Amino acid sequence: AVISSRDLPPPPLPTDADIAAFYKEHLTQLKQPEMRQALVVQVSPAQYAGTVTVDEEALKKVYQTQLSSLTTPETRSFIQITAPNASAAAAISAALKAGQDPQAVAKANKGQVIAYEQKTKLAVADPKVGDAAFAMKAGEVSGPVTGELAIAVIKMGEIKIGSTPSYESVREKLAEDYKTEKAKDMVNDVVHK
């Protein structure tokens, strides 16, 4: 016997409970995956650095601003011998001028040796000793120096003169840094837009 769907009575209409049960049972098949569309734009400062025109006036201002970090300060090596009083300091000075060993001279006069190796003026603990030391010549021995911390005698060693680079000598580096910074600003503008 051939039975077709026309020979069967129609199924009963589902109730709300039947639909809810069917929905729960087939939930994974009924879900559609979330879809997104995105556009990725890659931007780097290198793309814009070539388009930056260097403003010479702005570059000179950058040079003036960075001058302190570009400058190599003067440094000095010297020995400072502290003394308990002015007469001991005079004896220490005379002994050092005569070529005696600083350690032996300090010990004989109840002083203390403090060595400074290629230090800047600001690195000297006693500002008055620093002023005196940076006014001396290489190999020179001072007389008694009344510092803020003690009386001292200074024996000067090596002096390395500081230097300040000219604008022309650092212009190329400053221009590259300037272009990079301006290119970064351009990238930020593009990204915000």
Side-chain angles (χ1 to χ4, degrees), residues 63-73:
Y63 170 74
Q64 291 298 327
T65 304
Q66 294 183 4
L67 198 56
S68 61
S69 65
L70 297 171
T71 302
T72 304

Side-chain angles (χ1 to χ4, degrees), residues 66-143:
Q66 294 183 4
L67 198 56
S68 61
S69 65
L70 297 171
T71 302
T72 304
E74 179 177 322
T75 59
R76 295 182 174 221
S77 295
F78 62 93
I79 294 170
Q80 170 189 341
I81 300 177
T82 59
N85 53 49
S87 61
I92 291 170
S93 178
L96 289 176
K97 286 177 182 175
Q100 293 183 25
D101 177 59
Q103 292 291 347
V105 172
K107 188 174 182 180
N109 292 282
K110 298 179 184 172
Q112 181 182 5
V113 176
I114 302 169
Y116 289 93
E117 288 295 323
Q118 293 306 322
K119 299 293 183 187
T120 62
K121 188 175 181 179
L122 292 175
V124 180
D126 190 321
K128 289 187 177 178
V129 171
D131 290 342
F134 276 75
M136 295 171 62
K137 295 176 183 168
E140 193 176 3
V141 176
S142 74

Side-chain angles (χ1 to χ4, degrees), residues 24-67:
K24 277 188 177 178
E25 190 179 321
H26 296 88
L27 188 59
T28 55
Q29 296 153 345
L30 294 171
K31 276 187 181 176
Q32 287 188 348
E34 182 177 321
M35 306 288 277
R36 293 193 179 200
Q37 189 173 13
L39 176 65
V40 176
V41 179
Q42 184 174 350
V43 186
S44 77
Q47 293 170 290
Y48 293 92
T51 64
V52 175
T53 304
V54 177
D55 178 1
E56 284 299 320
E57 290 305 313
L59 211 56
K60 286 178 181 177
K61 286 179 183 175
V62 170
Y63 170 74
Q64 291 298 327
T65 304
Q66 294 183 4
L67 198 56

Side-chain angles (χ1 to χ4, degrees), residues 41-52 179-193:
V41 179
Q42 184 174 350
V43 186
S44 77
Q47 293 170 290
Y48 293 92
T51 64
V52 175
K179 286 180 180 181
T180 302
E181 286 305 311
K182 291 296 179 189
K184 285 179 183 177
D185 291 344
M186 293 169 108
V187 167
N188 285 338
D189 289 344
V190 169
V191 170
H192 286 305
K193 285 176 185 173

